[in-house]
Amino acid sequence: MNPQWKAIVSEEASLSLITNFAGMLDAASKKGPVPVAVAAANVAEVIIAASRAHEMGIITSSFLVGNGKRIEDIASEYQLDLSGFTVVDSPDDSGAARRAMELVARGEAKVVVKGQMETSKFLKAALSRNADLRTGRTISHVGIFEIPDFDRLLLITDGGVVLYPTLEQKIEIIYSAIEVAERLGTVPPRVALLAAADSVILEVPVTMEIAQIVAMKSRWEEAGAYVDGPLTLDSAISPSVAAQRGLSGPVAGRADVLVVPDVESGNIMAKGITYFAGGAMAGVVLGTRVPLIVGSRSDPVETRLACIGAGVLIASTSQRRSSAKFLLKGNRQILGSSVDLTE
């Protein structure tokens, strides 16, 4: 492993493994405080979550951008102390998003949080040329899930930004998810590339793509992660199912990160966890100069607070590299080669 990486991975390994949102908030409070900007902070849940994050020492000198009068009225109604915040009046959602990005550009905020506004408007502002947040990396979404009766936090990517990733985009998506997993103390992270089968099948093209990615084994090990697939969902997370199917290796049955084939499967999985399993998601968009926190407008205070904690935890920890393109070095031949098919 690259010595620079080894030092940073060692830093993450020194963290206790974070297995739930409470642990994530505790870690964020130890890493923080960090200044954040909340775009469209126009509802009580958003303002209460920000206020609690400030009280916990997770954020400081932060900004609530939105309808100024509405923000002040909510603070008064819920008896919230906003003395640690600057209220920036911008009633229009798109304008509020642009103002929040300007605060990052000026170095006054290290995390941007989506408040009560459409994700499309938020990301449009973040990815505009004027915002100057692009880095050349693939922009991707990582969902951090807390699921009842599951023994760890589960990461799912990309269910929100890259609609139908190319093979090279998927490699960068995986790399970003690895970085998030390390922030949560998961070292080395186990990454499962999901499909409808546990083997390479000609009639399932995504399995052939997955085999090409997995063939970069030495590069993934150098990056400090185990990457395997194709795996079905149950084979990826259930040790008993993996054993019954004769699947070996460090990932099968023990995955920390699930990489979905496309945005549709990721979005459906996320909604299924939330509405059928009672889970909660802290959504983070990576690949920009600062983390972008993208939750659902229906999220309760606790989930919004967890989202802020996730952003601060990522923002306050060293980044390993600016790009995952190093993974492709020397592997172009592998990515262009054919793979063995099951009979």
Side-chain angles (χ1 to χ4, degrees):
M1 184 182 293
N2 182 299
Q4 177 188 0
W5 293 4
K6 189 175 291 186
I8 296 171
V9 170
S10 177
E11 175 189 352
E12 306 304 336
S14 66
L15 294 172
S16 298
L17 177 64
I18 299 171
T19 59
N20 52 43
F21 283 174
M24 187 165 66
L25 291 171
D26 181 61
S29 67
K30 294 175 181 176
K31 286 285 187 179
V34 166
V36 309
V38 184
N42 301 322
V43 297
E45 290 82 0
V46 173
I47 301 171
I48 293 171
S51 177
R52 286 178 56 183
H54 185 269
E55 292 172 357
M56 295 173 70
I58 295 172
I59 65 176
T60 186
S61 304
S62 297
F63 302 85
L64 300 175
V65 187
N67 187 316
K69 184 177 185 307
R70 176 63 178 152
I71 292 171
E72 298 288 357
D73 288 346
I74 291 171
S76 177
E77 179 182 354
Y78 288 88
Q79 298 182 330
L80 302 175
D81 179 10
L82 298 186
S83 59
F85 296 86
T86 299
V87 176
V88 180
D89 185 45
S90 185
D92 172 72
D93 285 353
S94 295
R98 288 193 297 270
R99 293 289 296 275
M101 305 310 161
E102 289 171 3
L103 291 166
V104 172
R106 296 202 300 263
E108 297 181 56
K110 301 299 183 184
V111 178
V112 187
V113 180
K114 180 179 81 75
Q116 200 69 2
M117 67 180 300
E118 295 177 12
T119 300
S120 59
K121 291 181 179 179
F122 180 77
L123 292 180
K124 182 179 180 180
L127 302 181
S128 70
R129 290 185 178 180
N130 292 336
D132 193 30
L133 295 185
R134 290 179 177 269
T135 64
R137 293 179 61 169
T138 294
I139 311 298
S140 62
H141 178 275
V142 178
I144 306 170
F145 288 84
E146 181 182 63
I147 306 171
D149 300 321
F150 198 69
D151 65 353
R152 59 191 181 276
L153 292 174
L154 187 66
L155 275 56
I156 300 176
T157 190
D158 175 344
V161 175
V162 185
L163 304 182
Y164 303 101
T166 64
L167 189 149
E168 293 190 6
Q169 285 177 323
K170 192 164 289 184
I171 288 170
E172 290 215 63
I173 287 169
I174 294 167
Y175 182 77
S176 291
I178 289 171
E179 290 189 321
V180 175
E182 289 175 350
R183 304 302 194 277
L184 301 175
T186 304
V187 180
R190 297 176 169 89
V191 182
L193 309 186
L194 298 186
D198 293 319
S199 57
V200 179
I201 302 174
L202 180 61
E203 291 77 13
V204 187
V206 70
T207 64
M208 301 176 68
E209 178 184 81
I210 288 171
Q212 291 178 294
I213 296 173
V214 172
M216 298 165 53
K217 182 178 179 181
S218 62
R219 287 288 181 176
W220 293 121
E221 290 178 349
E222 186 180 354
Y226 298 118
V227 177
D228 200 5
L231 292 168
T232 59
L233 175 61
D234 50 351
S235 294
I237 64 172
S238 171
S240 60
V241 170
Q244 289 168 8
R245 295 176 180 173
L247 300 171
S248 59
V251 177
R254 296 185 289 168
D256 306 297
V257 180
L258 304 179
V259 181
V260 297
D262 53 44
V263 71
E264 292 165 339
S265 53
N267 186 272
I268 292 169
M269 184 185 297
K271 293 296 193 296
I273 290 172
T274 301
Y275 289 98
F276 294 141
M281 180 192 77
V284 184
V285 172
L286 303 169
T288 49
R289 288 199 295 113
V290 301
L292 307 176
I293 306 307
V294 181
S296 170
R297 282 174 286 176
S298 61
D299 282 342
V301 170
E302 291 75 14
T303 302
R304 293 180 186 269
L305 177 60
C307 286
I308 295 172
V312 168
L313 194 58
I314 293 168
S316 60
T317 309
S318 302
Q319 290 191 350
R320 303 196 316 178
R321 282 177 179 260
S322 61
S323 171
K325 289 182 171 54
F326 80 96
L327 287 164
L328 297 171
K329 185 178 180 181
N331 284 283
R332 298 286 179 181
Q333 185 175 357
I334 292 176
L335 295 178
S337 65
S338 60
V339 295
D340 293 332
L341 305 177
T342 55
E343 298 180 358

